Each structure stands twice: as C-alpha cells, then as structure tokens.
Amino acid sequence: QPCWSEYLTTRIEQNMVVNCTCPISECRAQPTTAFICSIVSSEEIIAKYEKALLRGYVECCSNLTWCTNPQGCDQILLKDGLGYGAACSKCSWISCFNCNFPEAHYPASCSHMSHMTCAKCNHGFCWRCLKPWRPTHKDYYNCSAMVSKAAWQEKRFQDYNERCTFHHHAREFAMSLRNRVSSIGSMPKIRTLTFVLDACKVLEQARKVLAYSCVYSYYNQDTESMDIVEQQTESLELHTNAL
C-alpha cells in the first residue's frame, strides 16, 4: 500500500493521473476512483485528483469548455446553450467558441483576430500559428512590386492598432472606475450609486465594441459599406467620450 500511495500521489501532483496504469510494465490495468480514494489519505491530493478528473471530462466533451477570462475563472460553459451575447454566469466574461481568441470580439470576425501585436515589446505574430508576422507570412505582401503598398498597409495597421489599444486601455479605466465606485457605495451613509455603476458597465461595453470595430474596419476596405460603419463608429465614440 505505501508504494501504491506514493505512486498515485506522484502521478496526481504531476497532473498525469488520468489514464494512468499499473506501474508493472506488463499490466495495463487502470486504478479506479474508488481504489485511488482508498489508497491516498491526503484530502489535498484527493482534491487535486478530483480536479484532474473534471478537467479530463470537460476536455472530452465537445460541447463543454472553460470560461476564457484571463483573470481566472473555473466556470464550465455549455457551448450549445450559451449563444452570442450571453456571459459567464460567474464572472460575466463573454467568450468566443469559434477561435482561440480569449474573448468575444464582435464586430470583428475570428479571421480578423489573427494578426496580433504584443503590447509590451511590439512583436507581431499570427494568433493561429504563433509564427512571427513577417513579409513572408501568408496573407501579407511578399512581392517586391508591393513594397510601397506594404509600407502604406503597415502605417494603416499602426493607426488602427493605436486606436484599438486606446479603447482597450479606456475599457480598463472604466472597469477600475466601477470597482472604486462599488467600494464607495458599500460605505455607510452613502446614497445609492447604482446609476454610476450602470454607466461604467455601458462604458466597458462601448469601449470593447469600439476596440474590435477598429479590427473590423482594418480588414474591411469596401468603401461604400465602410463609410456607414465609420460614421456609426464615430458617433459611438463621440457619445462614449461624453459619457
């Protein structure tokens, strides 16, 4: 029993317990949950084992996924039942189930979210393959005759990227402001600040839409339709700044 306990504890701590087999090389038998719980006495180790089982179950179910909130959330989401615009019931984060981008990015499509730039070092890379975004990368100008156009496109990208980054920072400010207002509202003798909290939530959503509108506009160059989009975006930005 001590050997089994040490073996199973090690496998659990190394996140290798799912589908583990008997340590004897010729034996492919897998220890059952009841067996593991009867051998391992540590409640902490058992808790890790249960989490591993849950992770394995979610990964095996095509209609289940974890909330993608980068701040951390252990909520399990049902893809079929969530739908566009619905948020995690625990943290309110809105996830995208069609690509690996960590949040819903309307009005930008999933294909628009491929070209990413690190906010810290400005390294450009493809979100899908994680390779550096260079002139040799597909969907980018790689012809010598397109040098001037590539330079113009790079300048255009920088302009839209700066606007997108600004709205993301403004969204973070709105979130920070909402948290500060929430803490003030919990103090005694302070009248209700619900209307301010609602305004902060509207600010967060508006900044998010404006940020991804930059991505949408960058990848869509149909002049006739983009004139309308740009007008709507400008109007939303004007009212958002006023709010």
Side-chain angles (χ1 to χ4, degrees):
Q1 181 168 334
C3 295
W4 265 109
S5 178
E6 183 177 351
Y7 169 69
L8 293 173
T9 298
T10 301
R11 299 285 292 194
I12 294 172
E13 289 181 335
Q14 295 178 349
N15 292 321
M16 299 172 60
V17 67
V18 178
N19 296 327
C20 80
T21 58
C22 174
I24 299 177
S25 58
E26 295 81 8
C27 181
R28 308 308 299 168
Q30 295 181 331
T32 64
T33 298
F35 177 77
I36 293 175
C37 291
S38 67
I39 294 295
V40 180
S41 58
S42 171
E43 294 183 0
E44 180 181 355
I45 299 299
I46 290 297
K48 289 183 179 180
Y49 169 65
E50 292 174 345
K51 287 183 179 180
L53 287 181
L54 183 60
R55 279 198 308 271
Y57 177 74
V58 173
E59 291 172 0
C60 289
C61 295
S62 59
N63 65 331
L64 295 180
T65 187
W66 297 98
C67 175
T68 58
N69 190 334
Q71 300 299 321
C73 179
D74 58 359
Q75 187 77 347
I76 298 173
L77 306 179
L78 178 63
K79 294 182 181 180
D80 296 338
L82 194 61
Y84 173 76
C88 172
S89 60
K90 184 174 183 179
C91 70
S92 300
W93 186 261
I94 305 177
S95 304
C96 178
F97 294 144
N98 297 319
C99 68
N100 293 325
F101 198 73
E103 72 170 342
H105 40 73
Y106 179 84
S109 69
C110 293
S111 61
H112 293 159
M113 306 311 297
S114 296
H115 187 177
M116 305 298 294
T117 302
C118 176
K120 185 175 181 180
C121 67
N122 291 322
H123 171 66
F125 64 96
C126 176
W127 180 263
R128 295 182 179 276
C129 67
L130 301 181
K131 293 181 179 179
W133 194 275
R134 296 172 177 169
T136 54
H137 191 282
K138 67 176 182 177
D139 297 329
Y140 200 77
Y141 300 109
N142 56 6
C143 175
S144 58
M146 301 289 287
V147 172
S148 60
K149 188 173 183 179
W152 171 84
Q153 187 75 354
E154 183 64 23
K155 176 62 168 62
R156 183 172 177 270
F157 168 76
Q158 292 297 338
D159 291 341
Y160 276 102
N161 186 56
E162 288 177 5
R163 288 171 55 190
C164 183
T165 301
F166 168 78
H167 289 304
H168 276 305
H169 288 167
R171 178 188 175 192
E172 292 175 357
F173 167 78
M175 296 170 65
S176 175
L177 180 62
R178 178 161 62 91
N179 291 334
R180 294 203 301 272
V181 173
S182 297
S183 63
I184 294 174
S186 63
M187 298 173 62
K189 298 182 180 180
I190 297 292
R191 66 189 181 87
T192 178
L193 297 175
T194 303
F195 70 100
V196 182
L197 293 173
D198 290 341
C200 290
K201 292 178 182 179
V202 172
L203 270 179
E204 291 177 38
Q205 182 62 23
R207 290 299 183 187
K208 177 181 178 181
V209 171
L210 284 169
Y212 290 123
S213 291
C214 294
V215 180
Y216 178 85
S217 298
Y218 174 75
Y219 282 103
N220 290 274
Q221 302 183 33
D222 183 350
T223 306
E224 185 175 350
S225 62
M226 283 310 302
D227 285 343
I228 300 176
V229 173
E230 291 289 357
Q231 290 175 7
Q232 293 176 333
T233 302
E234 184 178 351
S235 177
L236 175 59
E237 186 169 1
L238 180 66
H239 287 85
T240 302
N241 290 339
L243 179 60

